[in-house]
């Protein structure tokens, strides 16, 4: 018995290593990055140490001014000032310029530094500047998680909403959720009759129909999204067809709209709804349908009272799969959507590739992970309840 257990453990070990390396570790690293605050501590260790004992009243001691001037100059010389300046500038606009200006003038500053630094830039005489540096001393910070919900830390240490013209991310998550739900609903509605038809076909027609469903997987998401960009542009076939049918007199702007995003996403994700539904429908026991027919049920009654309830687990599985893929979709919205149609994934890529702000990208990823986790939990609860009630029926 023990040998069998060891053999089972050895067989499962590669799968566990794969899950650990490809999912658990990356997700754990992303969650840690969302709260990590190391830039100031690594670049300004002596300044951070001098600010630890400061009570935040008035200005910090002369040792903090001296350490700041010397460490900024050294960081500029060693080319280590960029990440720290970006971190502080993200929390308060203008900090990058202040830090770079002070670092360039570090050789000209002299004691007392509390006087020479304030003479160089009056912002060094504001306690708020030093409080910002003190709060950024790490090792963790709620900054990115708060900002991803359009919140920030107030001067008194509390939490407040950001200015109305800076609020973006709550609306972004609602937009992502809304687009994903619309795409999921359309995929379920379109996929159900397709899966039903394939499940009812006999061989070899069922195999041929299933192959047709799988054909889109032979090309990448980028190719399929680019195809929709060509089809929906002002000079594309869709506009030409609408003008030929008299539906419009001039080309309509479709690319760069929400409609284009939904159409492209439905095309990309529709097979992911068909396959789970077909898998469930193929295994349904036809005896229930024959029993219902023998009791006098007509076709509509057999479908709505027998077939549909028994196939709902497949509907929920397909819908959950489409939703999970839709909320993290980047390519299709980026190609055919406008500025107001981009989803969370686009902003994650933006902070990673353009702003190089790993903390903000990780915070958005953490909330997106929470959204998808909630969707999985809800789908599992609904699927279990429906499967149980269907079994009793």
């Amino acid at each position: 018995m023990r040998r069998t257990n060891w053999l089972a453990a050895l067989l499962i070990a590669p799968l566990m290593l794969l899950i650990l390396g490809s999912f658990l570790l990356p997700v754990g690293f992303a969650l840690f990055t969302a709260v990590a605050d190391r830039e100031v501590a690594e670049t300004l260790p002596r300044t951070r140490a001098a600010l630890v004992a400061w009570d935040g009243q008035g200005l910090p001691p002369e040792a903090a001014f001296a350490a700041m001037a010397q460490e900024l100059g050294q960081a500029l010389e060693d080319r280590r000032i960029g990440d720290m300046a970006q971190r502080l500038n993200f929390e308060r606009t203008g900090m990058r310029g202040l830090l770079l200006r002070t670092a360039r003038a570090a050789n000209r500053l002299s004691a007392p530094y509390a006087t020479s630094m304030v003479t160089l830039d009056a912002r060094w005489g504001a306690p708020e500047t030093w409080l910002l540096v003190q709060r950024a001393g790490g090792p963790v910070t709620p900054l990115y998680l708060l900002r991803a919900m359009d919140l920030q830390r107030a001067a008194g240490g509390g939490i407040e909403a950001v200015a109305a013209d800076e609020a973006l991310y709550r609306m972004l998550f609602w937009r992502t959720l809304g687009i994903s739900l619309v795409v999921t609903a359309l995929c379920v509605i379109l996929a159900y009759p397709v899966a039903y038809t394939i499940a009812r076909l006999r061989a070899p027609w069922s195999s041929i129909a299933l192959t047709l469903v799988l054909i889109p997987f032979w090309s990448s998401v980028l190719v399929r999204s680019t195809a929709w960009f060509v089809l929906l542009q002002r000079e594309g076939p869709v506009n030409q067809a609408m003008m030929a049918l008299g539906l419009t007199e001039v080309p309509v702007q479709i690319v760069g709209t929400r409609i284009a995003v939904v159409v492209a996403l439905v095309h990309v994700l529709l097979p992911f709804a068909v396959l789970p539904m077909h898998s469930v429908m193929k295994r349904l026991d036809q005896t229930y349908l024959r029993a219902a027919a023998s009791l006098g049920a007509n076709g509509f009654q057999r479908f709505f009272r027998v077939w549909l309830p028994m196939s709902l687990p497949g509907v929920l599985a397909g819908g959950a799969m489409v939703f999970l893929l839709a909320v993290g979709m980047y390519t299709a919205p980026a190609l055919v959507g406008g500025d107001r149609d981009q989803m969370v994934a686009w902003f994650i890529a933006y902070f990673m590739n353009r702003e190089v702000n790993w903390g903000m990208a990780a915070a958005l990823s953490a909330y997106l992970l929470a959204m998808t986790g909630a969707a999985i939990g809800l789908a599992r609860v609904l699927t279990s309840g429906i499967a149980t009630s269907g079994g009793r029926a």
Side-chain angles (χ1 to χ4, degrees):
M1 188 66 177
R2 181 175 298 178
R3 181 179 299 177
T4 303
N5 292 338
W6 276 106
L7 180 60
L10 290 175
L11 293 174
I12 295 175
L15 176 61
M16 297 303 297
L17 291 175
L18 178 64
I19 295 174
L20 178 66
S22 63
F23 179 75
L24 295 180
L25 287 179
V27 169
F29 178 76
L31 294 177
F32 174 75
T33 304
V35 297
D37 198 13
R38 54 180 177 76
E39 292 85 355
V40 172
E42 293 178 354
T43 309
L44 307 173
R46 290 193 291 117
T47 303
R48 176 174 176 268
L51 291 175
V52 169
W54 178 47
D55 60 3
Q57 302 297 321
L59 292 176
E62 170 68 13
F65 282 89
M68 176 67 79
Q70 296 166 8
E71 289 183 319
L72 283 178
Q74 188 63 42
L76 181 64
E77 182 179 347
D78 297 341
R79 299 182 179 181
R80 295 182 292 104
I81 198 172
D83 291 342
M84 185 265 298
Q86 182 184 34
R87 155 67 180 88
L88 294 176
N89 195 75
F90 179 76
E91 188 166 1
R92 179 180 298 171
T93 303
M95 285 299 296
R96 183 198 300 272
L98 173 62
L99 294 173
L100 291 176
R101 181 183 181 187
T102 306
R104 295 189 184 102
N107 293 332
R108 303 193 303 271
L109 298 174
S110 59
Y113 288 94
T115 300
S116 59
M117 288 178 64
V118 173
T119 302
L120 176 68
D121 196 305
R123 285 175 289 182
W124 288 119
E128 292 79 11
T129 301
W130 294 96
L131 286 170
L132 175 62
V133 177
Q134 185 187 55
R135 287 199 306 266
V140 295
T141 177
L143 170 65
Y144 302 113
L145 291 175
L146 290 175
R147 191 62 62 87
M149 284 287 108
D150 295 327
L151 300 171
Q152 63 183 0
R153 295 183 64 175
I159 297 175
E160 63 182 9
V162 300
D165 58 345
E166 297 179 5
L168 168 66
Y169 301 108
R170 288 186 190 175
M171 180 183 65
L172 173 64
F173 279 102
W174 281 116
R175 179 197 305 163
T176 301
L177 179 62
I179 293 176
S180 301
L181 289 175
V182 170
V183 170
T184 301
L186 290 175
C187 284
V188 168
I189 293 172
L190 295 174
Y192 194 91
V194 175
Y196 175 81
T197 302
I198 296 175
R200 302 287 288 180
L201 288 175
R202 296 183 178 180
W205 300 109
S206 59
S207 299
I208 295 174
L210 196 59
T211 302
L212 294 176
V213 173
L214 295 173
I215 284 178
F217 289 113
W218 299 354
S219 61
S220 68
V221 175
L222 178 62
V223 172
R224 284 178 277 169
S225 301
T226 304
W228 278 110
F229 182 86
V230 175
L231 291 172
L232 298 177
Q233 61 182 325
R234 293 179 63 87
E235 297 78 16
V238 173
N239 265 305
Q240 293 178 1
M242 289 193 300
M243 288 189 293
L245 294 173
L247 299 178
T248 179
E249 296 181 358
V250 296
V252 179
Q253 181 65 38
I254 303 177
V255 173
T257 65
R258 188 69 53 85
I259 294 176
V261 173
V262 171
V263 169
L265 287 177
V266 168
H267 173 242
V268 169
L269 300 177
L270 187 58
F272 293 98
V274 174
L275 295 178
M277 293 183 193
H278 172 264
S279 177
V280 171
M281 292 178 184
K282 195 68 176 178
R283 298 196 306 267
L284 293 183
D285 191 349
Q286 304 295 322
T287 304
Y288 293 105
L289 293 176
R290 292 193 292 268
S294 67
L295 293 174
N298 57 34
F300 287 101
Q301 291 174 326
R302 293 197 300 271
F303 176 79
F304 285 105
R305 302 192 63 177
V306 180
W307 182 275
L308 182 59
M310 291 194 301
S311 63
L312 281 181
V315 173
L316 288 175
M321 185 173 294
V322 171
F323 179 82
L324 294 178
L325 294 172
V327 294
M329 189 60 66
Y330 167 79
T331 306
L335 282 176
V336 301
D339 293 338
R340 297 186 177 182
D341 302 307
Q342 301 307 318
M343 300 165 69
V344 175
W346 189 92
F347 283 86
I348 293 174
Y350 171 80
F351 280 112
M352 291 179 63
N353 300 326
R354 298 187 188 181
E355 292 292 320
V356 197
N357 188 335
W358 297 96
M360 197 63 191
L364 292 173
S365 301
Y367 285 124
L368 189 62
L369 178 65
M371 181 189 295
T372 55
I376 291 175
L378 179 61
R380 181 164 184 175
V381 170
L382 293 176
T383 302
S384 301
I386 290 174
T388 303
S389 62
R392 290 195 301 266

